[in-house]
Amino acid sequence: MRPVVIAANWKMHTTPADAGELAATIAARTRIEAPVERVICPPFVCLAAVRDALSGTGVAVGAQNVHHELGGAYTGEISAPMLAGLASWVIVGHSERRRDAGETDELIGRKLRRAVEAGLRPIVCVGEQLDEREAGRAEAVVRGQVHGILTAFGDATIGDVAADLGESGVVIAYEPVWAIGTGRNATGADAAAMADTIRAAIAATGLVDLGAAVPVLYGGSVTAANIGEFLAEPGIDGALVGGASLKPDEMAGIVARAGLTAAARAGGAG
Ligand code: PEP
């Protein structure tokens, strides 16, 4: 059974002075019995404060990015080994990094490999632009992203890739770019269709088991009011939440709804 995951992407918000308190508040407001994996991804400089604040709460800490090299002359960058003891998850390939830092599928695949090698659980982001959806190319674009990322990841043989990725606990986040931070979300049905596409694209690279087992999250203007539409889809396993993840009330509502899904799925109710 796939886990239900709610991951918070705080983007470039909070400081080391206030991040711990917000993280602790969210942890307290989202404490539930059901097996929902909660992850908070603050800015790099807030990782230590958030780690300390979340100690013993069951909420994991994630980074928002990682460099594709282990070390060297890369001013301002953070490598996977540097995250040891600070984070157990990492987001790779967020569309804001594709947009602002020119990240390509090839680069994202190399970041993914560094994350897996370092034992970090990756959240790999894919998603189409608005013009691509309007042109009827959304599924082809996302298929291409999955293929490009896994090809770059798998500099080794397909067999090795399956072993590494399968054991990494990798999660895919389907994030249509036009829905991120816009208040405009995809429909549950569109997200579910894309989750099928993503799983098929992974399987098509030879990673058949991973294609079936990988959790797929939806991301794009998720709130407590609309999370139910996505989690009602059996193929959607949670959410990557941006703006709403800075609001404890919203996170409480989102995780509570995820708890209903996790409990129902654990009980075999879909
Ligand atoms: C995100 O940052 O990944 C995201 C989905 O943002 P928002 O929820 O604000 O659209």
Side-chain angles (χ1 to χ4, degrees):
M1 200 183 64
R2 299 189 303 262
V4 174
V5 179
I6 300 295
N9 175 13
W10 283 1
K11 313 195 189 202
M12 200 169 71
H13 298 290
T14 70
T15 68
D18 59 26
E21 190 178 336
L22 179 60
T25 303
I26 289 173
R29 295 288 312 279
T30 59
R31 197 182 305 131
I32 55 169
E33 288 301 316
V36 175
E37 295 199 42
R38 295 166 293 162
V39 188
I40 294 179
C41 305
F44 283 124
V45 294
C46 300
L47 284 170
V50 169
R51 174 203 57 197
D52 293 348
L54 294 179
S55 172
T57 65
V59 182
V61 184
Q64 297 176 14
N65 180 36
V66 67
H67 198 262
H68 59 280
E69 294 293 355
L70 292 174
Y74 301 101
T75 303
E77 297 289 347
I78 305 286
S79 72
M82 293 176 188
L83 293 172
L86 287 170
S88 52
W89 291 67
V90 64
I91 298 170
V92 293
H94 193 281
S95 65
E96 286 157 9
R97 294 202 56 82
R98 288 178 183 264
R99 180 195 68 199
D100 298 336
E103 290 191 7
T104 60
D105 296 332
E106 203 268 327
L107 193 77
I108 294 163
R110 291 166 65 189
K111 287 170 180 261
L112 178 60
R113 178 160 282 285
R114 293 303 184 199
V116 171
E117 284 169 352
L120 294 161
R121 277 188 77 177
I123 300 174
V124 182
C125 301
V126 294
E128 81 284 357
Q129 304 279 344
L130 184 58
D131 60 335
E132 294 166 335
R133 175 156 288 271
E134 287 176 345
R137 296 198 301 113
E139 303 214 341
V141 166
V142 170
R143 252 196 313 272
Q145 291 173 339
V146 170
H147 180 79
I149 292 167
L150 292 184
T151 302
F153 175 91
D155 239 340
T157 67
I158 284 291
D160 288 341
V161 174
D164 290 351
L165 260 189
E167 285 162 21
S168 71
V170 63
V171 167
I172 308 289
Y174 167 53
E175 298 210 307
V177 178
W178 47 271
I180 296 179
T182 59
R184 178 180 172 195
N185 57 275
T187 64
D190 283 347
M194 195 61 90
D196 288 346
T197 298
I198 289 166
R199 293 194 173 97
I202 293 172
T205 66
L207 306 176
V208 177
D209 291 345
L210 184 64
V214 70
V216 177
L217 315 184
Y218 168 75
S221 299
V222 168
T223 64
N226 66 25
I227 183 70
E229 175 174 356
F230 300 102
L231 290 176
E233 299 288 344
I236 300 291
D237 303 310
L240 179 55
V241 186
S245 74
L246 293 157
K247 300 175 185 159
D249 284 351
E250 287 289 329
M251 283 299 281
I254 290 168
V255 173
R257 179 60 185 78
L260 298 179
T261 295
R265 292 185 186 179

